Amino acid sequence: MPRVGEAVIETRGLRKRYGDVEAVRGIDLRVERGEVFALLGPNGAGKTTTVEILEGHRTRSGGEARVLGFDPERNAVALRERTGIVLQHTGLEPYLTVAETIDLFRGYYPRPLPLDEALAVTGLEAERDRRVRRLSGGQQRRLDVAVGLAGDPELLFLDEPTTGFDPSARRGAWAMIRGLRALGKTVLLTTHYLDEAQALADRVAIMARGEIVTVDAPARLVAAEDASLIRFRAPEDAALPAALAPRATHADGYVELRSPDPVRDLNALTGWALAGGAALAELTVSRPSLEDVYLRLTGGDGGAEGEA
Amino acid sequence: MRALRLALRQVKYEERAFRRNPAAAFFTFAFPLIFLVILTVIFGNSDIEAGERVISGATFYVPAITALTVVNTCYTSVAMSWVYDRDAGVLKRIRGAPLPAWAFLFGRIAYAIIVMLALTVIVAAFGRLFYGVSLPGATAPAVVVTLAVGAFAFCALGLAVAAAIPNADAAPAIVNATALPLLFISDIFIPPDVGTPVWVERVSAIFPVRHLSEALQTGFNPFEAGAGFEPVHLGALAAWGVAGLLLALRFGSWEPRR
């Protein structure tokens, strides 16, 4: 029986150093049984390194790590029997069929997932007897997941599961991941896509520069971002009301205003517009998205950081 | 027990993947016969001075091509497939599964040796049938031991060179550049009575290919009076194998190089 609240992954002060570069700088992480937990962050934030330490592919330079109660560095085989790993770039034997490939991996585990179930969860029933080299990109990615599920793992590591998917394939993959949660699996998901994290994850950890900046449910991260965004078209030299002018920023012919109290600010703004005959063209008021939270926490254009 | 079953199962899947690529499988098997025929045509099936004895060209080429087969299936194939699978992420995925590393390696190497033995039988049968080459009788155990030690040495060296190859694009160039020159100076393509300079033979005596070819020549020599074992050559091969194994264990990797 799944015991809710039990930690499946737990780290304390986890560190990884490559020469002079500290890729992971002391992170504390706790993932509970049955959660879909997303790790977000720009390239070079230390996501992949963190996940590879938890998978047992890398050794850590410092700190504690427990995965399903095991030290991932030590109990390699015992741990691998209970985890599934779906990496970003991995190959499969091109001349075997889908069913043979899943069967090959099922044979490595003491209590494998039945073949039909692995095919059904990943929607590969029709491709069962097809050679791996004849699969489309999306089908190969689903086969990656099927292979990750071959051992009926308690914990599944999913690294960028929908990169390169078209929108409908992405929706399909999301349905598949929700299906995994329904089966009681714990999923550690790394992704670049904020909408993916928002749609799938119970909790999100945002990483930047080797540290975890924040951890929470996506909806609460967004709710905690107090400021709404008021935006309208106006010339740069427009004389805004005195109460608003200090907080306004100008960009590409628009005025943007971060507002913790949009009702009051809009009242001031519309009063000013009516009095002065300003149009407030293209006026929008929006709640922050996970993307806004992410960009603020990771320091803006996070993609500019180097690969670590 | 479970690990042993998994290891044997790997062999089965290696075989199946090999069989599914018929073009590659066909040329793997045709390759040594093509060389046997071409070399016998070029250099003639007439008598060759091998040591104090005189043997027919084909009698020289059957063990020579057998040695070529050991180098190709163990060294070249093992090194290339390791680098390709490492680059493609096949090996990293295997490392994430609860399959012991040795069981995967066992599958790879056992399958390489099965192919090598099959090719040896084909080459010997072809030589017997079309060139009337006499096959080892009393020296058969020596031939088997030589093949075993040779397979160990060249598989280990294949894994060692794979560790030195940065990426799959570089694999054919590096593997061929290390193997081909040795095949030319170790009495495999070119018979010994052509007049190879002595210093070339001395240089080649350092490397494992000559030790393999000379040990196989003795094992296949119809005039061989003894059991046909060549302890010095076998010892040298084994030493190369151990060195290769240590290098592979120290520097080998299962993950793509960045």
Side-chain angles (χ1 to χ4, degrees), chain A residues 52 57-58 77 80-81 87 89-93 95-96 100 103-105 107-109 131 144 147, chain B residues 2 5-6 9-10 13 16-17 20-21 88-90 92-99 104 108 255 258:
Chain A
E52 291 197 331
H57 278 307
R58 301 243 170 289
V77 169
R80 281 172 184 152
E81 284 180 349
L87 297 163
H89 306 288
T90 47
L92 287 165
E93 183 55 62
Y95 294 99
L96 296 178
E100 286 168 348
D103 262 337
L104 172 64
F105 279 85
Y108 299 150
Y109 296 88
R131 303 270 168 96
D144 284 338
V147 166
Chain B
R2 196 178 98 83
R5 189 179 57 77
L6 287 176
R9 199 166 158 272
Q10 282 304 118
Y13 277 89
R16 190 176 291 176
R20 292 283 174 77
N21 189 353
V90 172
K92 187 170 183 181
R93 190 199 295 267
I94 291 284
R95 289 300 276 151
L99 176 72
F104 179 78
R108 271 289 151 95
E255 290 188 23
R258 299 207 178 147

Side-chain angles (χ1 to χ4, degrees), chain A residues 230-281:
Chain A
I230 299 171
R231 191 167 188 264
F232 57 93
R233 189 172 273 286
E236 221 163 285
D237 53 2
L240 297 176
L244 306 179
R247 284 184 282 138
T249 55
H250 296 266
D252 305 328
Y254 287 90
V255 172
E256 288 189 349
L257 196 61
R258 298 222 161 260
S259 168
D261 188 355
V263 174
R264 182 178 299 274
D265 286 343
L266 279 171
N267 187 32
L269 193 63
T270 49
W272 164 78
L274 287 172
L280 294 184

Side-chain angles (χ1 to χ4, degrees), chain A residues 45-305:
Chain A
K47 299 189 303 283
T48 303
T49 303
T50 302
V51 171
E52 291 197 331
I53 291 170
L54 298 173
E55 289 167 347
H57 278 307
R58 301 243 170 289
T59 56
R60 56 184 183 267
S61 317
E64 290 294 314
R66 280 276 175 279
V67 178
L68 293 165
F70 297 111
D71 182 337
E73 268 176 40
R74 300 223 173 105
N75 304 70
V77 169
L79 181 61
R80 281 172 184 152
E81 284 180 349
R82 293 166 59 189
T83 56
I85 301 176
V86 182
L87 297 163
Q88 244 182 99
H89 306 288
T90 47
L92 287 165
E93 183 55 62
Y95 294 99
L96 296 178
T97 68
V98 167
E100 286 168 348
T101 303
I102 300 173
D103 262 337
L104 172 64
F105 279 85
R106 288 178 66 247
Y108 299 150
Y109 296 88
R111 286 170 303 280
L113 190 71
L115 174 63
D116 289 332
E117 238 177 275
L119 291 168
V121 175
T122 51
L124 284 170
E125 294 105 322
E127 280 71 36
R128 186 188 179 102
D129 295 319
R130 197 176 263 234
R131 303 270 168 96
V132 171
R133 62 197 289 264
R134 305 235 175 262
L135 297 179
S136 71
Q139 288 167 341
Q140 294 214 7
R141 203 73 191 109
R142 277 187 275 152
L143 179 57
D144 284 338
V145 177
V147 166
L149 290 171
D152 196 12
E154 294 164 49
L155 167 64
L156 188 67
F157 294 98
L158 273 179
D159 193 8
E160 307 280 349
T162 65
T163 298
F165 278 24
D166 64 43
S168 78
R170 281 185 83 205
R171 299 287 157 172
W174 289 4
M176 181 182 80
I177 294 164
R178 291 195 184 101
L180 297 178
R181 183 174 43 191
L183 293 174
K185 311 273 182 225
T186 308
V187 178
L188 181 63
L189 172 78
T190 49
T191 182
H192 283 306
Y193 299 119
L194 298 156
D195 55 340
E196 187 159 288
Q198 199 152 11
L200 294 175
D202 297 302
R203 287 193 303 146
V204 174
I206 296 179
M207 281 189 81
R209 291 167 292 276
E211 289 170 336
I212 288 186
V213 199
T214 189
V215 185
D216 213 332
R220 292 188 28 184
L221 282 178
V222 172
E225 185 82 357
D226 51 4
S228 291
L229 183 70
I230 299 171
R231 191 167 188 264
F232 57 93
R233 189 172 273 286
E236 221 163 285
D237 53 2
L240 297 176
L244 306 179
R247 284 184 282 138
T249 55
H250 296 266
D252 305 328
Y254 287 90
V255 172
E256 288 189 349
L257 196 61
R258 298 222 161 260
S259 168
D261 188 355
V263 174
R264 182 178 299 274
D265 286 343
L266 279 171
N267 187 32
L269 193 63
T270 49
W272 164 78
L274 287 172
L280 294 184
E282 298 173 43
L283 173 67
T284 57
V285 184
S286 54
R287 286 293 301 147
S289 65
L290 186 57
E291 186 166 344
D292 295 319
V293 181
Y294 173 89
L295 288 176
R296 186 174 60 76
L297 291 175
T298 58
D301 183 17
E305 286 197 26

Side-chain angles (χ1 to χ4, degrees), chain B residues 21-176:
Chain B
N21 189 353
F26 173 79
F27 281 103
T28 301
F29 282 101
F31 190 76
L33 294 183
I34 293 170
F35 268 84
L36 179 60
V37 171
I38 289 177
L39 290 169
T40 312
V41 167
I42 293 176
F43 292 99
N45 196 10
S46 53
D47 294 346
I48 287 178
E49 275 177 51
E52 312 91 69
R53 300 289 182 178
V54 174
I55 56 175
S56 74
T59 304
F60 167 78
Y61 276 120
V62 166
I65 297 302
T66 301
L68 170 70
T69 294
V70 173
V71 174
N72 274 345
T73 52
C74 294
Y75 179 77
T76 306
S77 300
V78 166
M80 298 257 206
S81 65
W82 191 269
V83 175
Y84 279 110
D85 286 350
R86 189 185 69 197
D87 261 29
V90 172
L91 301 182
K92 187 170 183 181
R93 190 199 295 267
I94 291 284
R95 289 300 276 151
L99 176 72
W102 73 262
F104 179 78
L105 266 171
F106 176 92
R108 271 289 151 95
I109 284 167
Y111 193 64
I113 291 172
I114 288 169
V115 171
M116 183 269 281
L117 289 175
L119 289 173
T120 300
V121 169
I122 290 171
V123 167
F126 191 91
R128 177 90 196 87
L129 227 58
F130 294 96
Y131 297 113
V133 171
S134 58
L135 298 181
T139 56
V143 170
V144 170
V145 169
T146 303
L147 289 175
V149 177
F152 159 71
F154 283 98
C155 284
L157 289 167
L159 291 173
V161 78
I165 298 174
N167 57 64
D169 294 330
I174 294 176
V175 170
N176 287 327

Side-chain angles (χ1 to χ4, degrees), chain B residues 210-228:
Chain B
R210 175 170 287 279
H211 294 293
L212 176 68
S213 77
E214 292 204 1
L216 284 173
Q217 287 297 348
T218 303
F220 275 84
N221 190 334
F223 303 108
E224 177 60 38

